[in-house]
Amino acid sequence: MKPSTSGLLLVLMCCPLLGLVHSASSSNKASDNGHAHLGDADPDRCMRHHFVETITHPIYKCNSKMVLLARCEGHCSHTTRSDPLISFSSVLKQPFKSTCSCCRPHTSKLKAVRLRCTGGTRITATYRYILACNCEECS
């Protein structure tokens, strides 16, 4: 079933940031920082997903702002390993070293949003915007 373009237009008029999410996720399927993917063979692989969040101050009365954020989500290799550790002590607190991989941010950049509060004051909220995700060793 093909979505109607008029429905998309209505959504874009009501919430312009959703248009950014749609266009960013569409372009994300074709490439990720210029690297071509091997098709969509594994749609659940570790990758960046966009979403819209409303930032509000928890105490002060400020105007809220909607921002485009990203998170890392998906599957990495199902292979995990536990190797025995060699010790010269009679007590082994942790006798094995386990390795596995997790979907984590690889690169990100710091962003800031200024909220206008009552009395004319401005408060800056900062966050990390994820640029790319990778499967990396879990800690």
Side-chain angles (χ1 to χ4, degrees), residues 21-43:
V21 173
H22 176 71
S23 64
S25 62
S26 298
S27 64
N28 211 20
K29 289 180 184 174
S31 71
D32 186 14
N33 291 342
H35 301 293
H37 289 300
L38 300 174
D40 284 334
D42 185 7

Side-chain angles (χ1 to χ4, degrees), residues 2 7 22 28 31 61 66-67 81 97-98 117 122 133:
K2 188 175 178 182
H22 176 71
N28 211 20
S31 71
K61 291 187 179 187
M66 292 177 65
V67 294
R81 192 169 87 195
K97 178 184 186 253
S98 298
C117 305
R122 293 181 183 260
C133 301

Side-chain angles (χ1 to χ4, degrees), residues 59-70:
I59 299 171
Y60 301 113
K61 291 187 179 187
C62 304
N63 291 343
S64 58
K65 281 198 178 175
M66 292 177 65
V67 294
L68 179 67
L69 299 175

Side-chain angles (χ1 to χ4, degrees), residues 80-98:
T80 58
R81 192 169 87 195
S82 291
D83 292 323
L85 293 176
I86 308 298
S87 175
F88 293 99
S89 169
S90 60
V91 178
L92 275 173
K93 290 184 179 176
Q94 290 185 328
F96 301 100
K97 178 184 186 253
S98 298

Side-chain angles (χ1 to χ4, degrees), residues 5-136:
T5 54
S6 62
L8 179 63
L9 186 58
L10 177 62
V11 170
L12 293 177
M13 289 171 53
C14 294
C15 184
L17 280 177
L18 286 177
L20 292 174
V21 173
H22 176 71
S23 64
S25 62
S26 298
S27 64
N28 211 20
K29 289 180 184 174
S31 71
D32 186 14
N33 291 342
H35 301 293
H37 289 300
L38 300 174
D40 284 334
D42 185 7
D44 295 329
R45 71 189 180 283
C46 176
M47 60 189 292
R48 181 175 63 166
H49 294 271
H50 293 95
F51 64 101
V52 176
E53 184 75 37
T54 301
I55 297 179
T56 57
H57 196 279
I59 299 171
Y60 301 113
K61 291 187 179 187
C62 304
N63 291 343
S64 58
K65 281 198 178 175
M66 292 177 65
V67 294
L68 179 67
L69 299 175
R71 70 172 149 255
C72 293
E73 189 176 339
H75 298 289
C76 295
S77 170
H78 293 288
T79 304
T80 58
R81 192 169 87 195
S82 291
D83 292 323
L85 293 176
I86 308 298
S87 175
F88 293 99
S89 169
S90 60
V91 178
L92 275 173
K93 290 184 179 176
Q94 290 185 328
F96 301 100
K97 178 184 186 253
S98 298
T99 56
C100 63
S101 62
C102 298
C103 185
R104 293 194 167 155
H106 180 64
T107 55
S108 65
K109 67 180 177 180
L110 187 65
K111 285 194 163 192
V113 173
R114 293 189 66 157
L115 303 178
R116 186 176 297 129
C117 305
T118 55
T121 60
R122 293 181 183 260
I123 294 179
T124 302
T126 58
Y127 61 95
R128 301 290 310 182
Y129 179 78
I130 298 170
L131 299 171
C133 301
N134 270 354
C135 291
E136 298 175 1

